């Protein structure tokens, strides 16, 4: 899409660093330079103000990635594009059947009310919970990685959604301030909410997490 739009050598493209490296790789393959902007801490998608702050005279496009089942603030991002004459491209996630989304939402709602000691996701409008991502605050007590190991030891299949933000990777290393991206990379953990989980499975997830909740300071 970038090449078809004429984006290439000498151009810059604003992209998120929180997520998969493929977006930055696509920009580089088109001959352009990926420029990383920070994310909104609630949606984990590009923050419109941060994206606009990253725009220069060489910026040709912005690539917006919808994350974990939450949509980016696409209206504001299109506004950035209109003000600066930029192409705004969206990368979405694969759509699940409606009944599966409904079941994920039910499981997410259960976790929202039962989990303690972690910060549950901001559901927002239309969240499909492709991943149920909580925050484990790093406060000198068990951090996200220690928390994940302990939860896995109790039979809960959790995963770190973004282990290394793209601007920390050797091939795309940048000296850029992305505090929300850094914080999200250090604190986020995806808990299972897929449709096949039984009530007993959900109770196991809550029990495993809450057994550690007393070791954590309250998450605000």
């Amino acid at each position: 899409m970038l090449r078809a739009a004429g984006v290439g050598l000498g151009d810059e493209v604003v992209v998120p660093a929180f997520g998969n490296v493929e977006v930055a790789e696509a920009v580089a393959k088109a001959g352009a330079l990926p420029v990383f902007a920070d994310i909104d801490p609630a949606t984990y998608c590009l923050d419109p103000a941060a994206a606009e702050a990253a725009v220069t005279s060489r910026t040709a496009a912005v690539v917006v990635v919808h994350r974990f089942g939450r949509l980016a603030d696409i209206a504001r991002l299109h506004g950035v594009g209109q003000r600066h004459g930029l192409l705004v491209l969206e990368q979405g996630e694969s759509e699940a059947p409606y009944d599966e989304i409904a079941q994920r939402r039910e499981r997410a709602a259960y976790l929202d009310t039962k989990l303690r000691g972690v910060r549950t996701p901001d559901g927002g409008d239309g969240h499909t919970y492709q991943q149920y991502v909580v925050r484990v605050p790093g406060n000198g007590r068990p951090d996200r990685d220690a928390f994940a190991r302990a939860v896995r030891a109790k039979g809960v299949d959790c995963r770190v959604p973004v282990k290394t933000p793209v601007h920390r990777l050797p091939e795309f290393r940048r000296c850029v301030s992305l505090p929300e991206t850094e914080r999200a990379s250090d604190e986020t953990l995806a808990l299972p909410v897929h449709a096949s989980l039984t009530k007993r499975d959900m109770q196991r997830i809550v029990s495993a997490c809450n057994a550690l909740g007393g070791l954590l300071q309250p998450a605000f």
Side-chain angles (χ1 to χ4, degrees), residues 18-197:
F18 185 76
N20 300 330
V21 70
E22 286 81 5
V23 174
E25 288 177 338
V27 172
K29 286 178 182 178
L33 178 71
V35 173
F36 300 110
D38 214 354
I39 57 169
D40 177 277
T43 66
Y44 302 105
C45 305
L46 270 181
D47 176 75
E52 188 157 26
V55 172
T56 72
S57 60
R58 296 197 298 170
T59 306
V62 177
V63 178
V64 182
V65 183
H66 303 297
R67 185 70 62 197
F68 306 144
R70 271 296 297 267
L71 294 177
D73 190 341
I74 198 63
R76 287 182 61 200
L77 287 159
H78 274 298
V80 173
Q82 291 168 0
R83 282 191 294 277
H84 298 278
L86 308 176
L87 177 69
V88 177
L89 298 175
E90 298 179 57
Q91 184 186 57
E93 298 170 299
S94 57
E95 290 292 330
Y98 178 79
D99 59 343
E100 182 176 331
I101 292 173
Q103 291 179 69
R104 285 181 188 165
R105 286 173 172 158
E106 287 180 5
R107 285 155 178 76
Y110 176 83
L111 294 179
D112 285 347
T113 60
K114 299 292 185 180
L115 288 175
R116 301 289 180 266
V118 298
R119 190 183 346 164
T120 56
D122 177 354
D125 293 334
H127 201 320
T128 60
Y129 294 99
Q130 298 282 0
Q131 296 187 60
Y132 184 89
V133 177
V134 300
R135 298 268 192 146
V136 181
N139 50 32
R141 295 172 180 178
D143 61 11
R144 187 270 317 277
D145 294 335
F147 188 94
R149 287 192 295 270
V151 170
R152 289 188 192 110
K154 294 178 179 291
V156 175
D157 182 22
C158 61
R159 59 183 295 272
V160 175
V162 177
K163 293 182 179 179
T164 306
V166 182
H167 73 293
R168 285 195 208 157
L169 297 175
E171 62 269 40
F172 291 108
R173 191 172 297 279
R174 302 282 192 277
C175 183
V176 58
S177 176
L178 303 175
E180 295 298 345
T181 295
E182 298 277 355
R183 191 173 296 113
S185 297
D186 291 340
E187 294 182 352
T188 51
L189 185 69
L191 298 176
V193 287
H194 51 82
S196 64
L197 292 169

